Amino acid sequence: GARLVALDTETTGFDPAQGHALVEVASVILDEGRIGETWSTLTDPGRAIPAEASGVHGITDAMVRGAPGPAVVATALEPRCAGRTLVFHNAAFDLPFLAAALRRAGRPPLANPVLDTLGLARGLFDVGGNALGALAARLGLPAERSHRALGDALTTARLLQVLGERWEREKGVRTLAELAAASQDVLRLTNRRPR
């Protein structure tokens, strides 16, 4: 059956190549479409969290003091992902941060199939207005603490439940592999479009 894990990260900024790093990671297990075990942890990025970043997620230097580093957290995340399709809302943001943390742990990046709920949303609603919070409000999903990893991972998991069902009904998608591929196809097409 369908084995998935919804993932979300909070970070110090937008680009791990510029030294930005994870400050929080969460995972939500989905088995046969049902939400199962949740996990989240703060992580010490090893650098000051800029005020702009704290302004978004509310995570401060004081909160991450003494938390495990990104390499430790990424290693703890690996078994939660084993044999599962990874579900993100905008994987292009989160995956490079997870890859950088795994690299610091001497581990390869996650090679799992990826399903992107941003692609599923754009495929149904076109581009624009597909931020996680906007979609949750539009679709009447339960309110979670937004811009925190666990709240956003739970919203991503619920978003998949709703959008996956619609893709099946409206677009005839039958399998998880087809759904994951479709989500990536939409993103490739819409990212090439002039802004």
Side-chain angles (χ1 to χ4, degrees):
R3 290 163 51 82
L4 304 109
V5 58
L7 302 169
D8 188 71
T9 66
E10 301 301 332
T11 67
T12 63
F14 291 107
D15 186 2
Q18 304 200 333
H20 287 290
L22 299 169
V23 295
E24 190 174 44
V25 180
S27 67
V28 174
I29 297 291
L30 278 152
D31 280 316
E32 306 298 341
R34 280 187 300 278
I35 290 176
E37 187 196 12
T38 64
W39 174 81
S40 74
T41 180
L42 290 167
T43 170
D44 185 341
R47 59 173 292 166
I49 302 172
E52 317 83 89
S54 286
V56 173
H57 48 56
I59 299 168
T60 62
D61 292 333
M63 288 166 67
V64 298
R65 199 167 294 128
V72 174
V73 167
T75 308
L77 183 67
E78 270 185 312
R80 296 167 202 282
C81 298
R84 293 182 180 275
T85 295
L86 311 182
V87 184
F88 293 96
H89 193 74
N90 191 17
F93 177 82
D94 303 90
L95 272 173
F97 281 98
L98 293 172
L102 285 162
R103 192 162 53 243
R104 280 165 65 175
R107 308 288 302 150
L110 297 167
N112 311 46
V114 171
L115 195 165
D116 201 317
T117 52
L118 179 60
L120 295 184
R122 282 184 183 174
L124 292 169
F125 309 127
D126 203 31
V127 293
N130 291 316
L132 197 54
L135 285 166
R138 173 191 282 180
L139 296 167
L141 301 180
E144 294 287 350
R145 193 159 172 199
S146 67
H147 299 296
R148 286 298 298 269
L150 184 55
D152 284 353
L154 278 163
T155 298
T156 300
R158 293 193 184 109
L159 189 57
L160 174 65
Q161 292 172 318
V162 175
L163 298 182
E165 201 271 318
R166 284 192 55 173
W167 271 77
E168 201 173 321
R169 196 172 67 236
E170 296 170 30
K171 296 178 182 281
V173 168
R174 290 279 161 265
T175 67
L176 185 57
E178 280 176 34
L179 194 62
S183 76
Q184 302 293 339
D185 289 344
V186 171
L187 289 174
R188 268 193 292 279
L189 292 168
T190 54
N191 286 338
R192 271 210 299 272
R193 223 185 263 183
R195 290 269 173 257

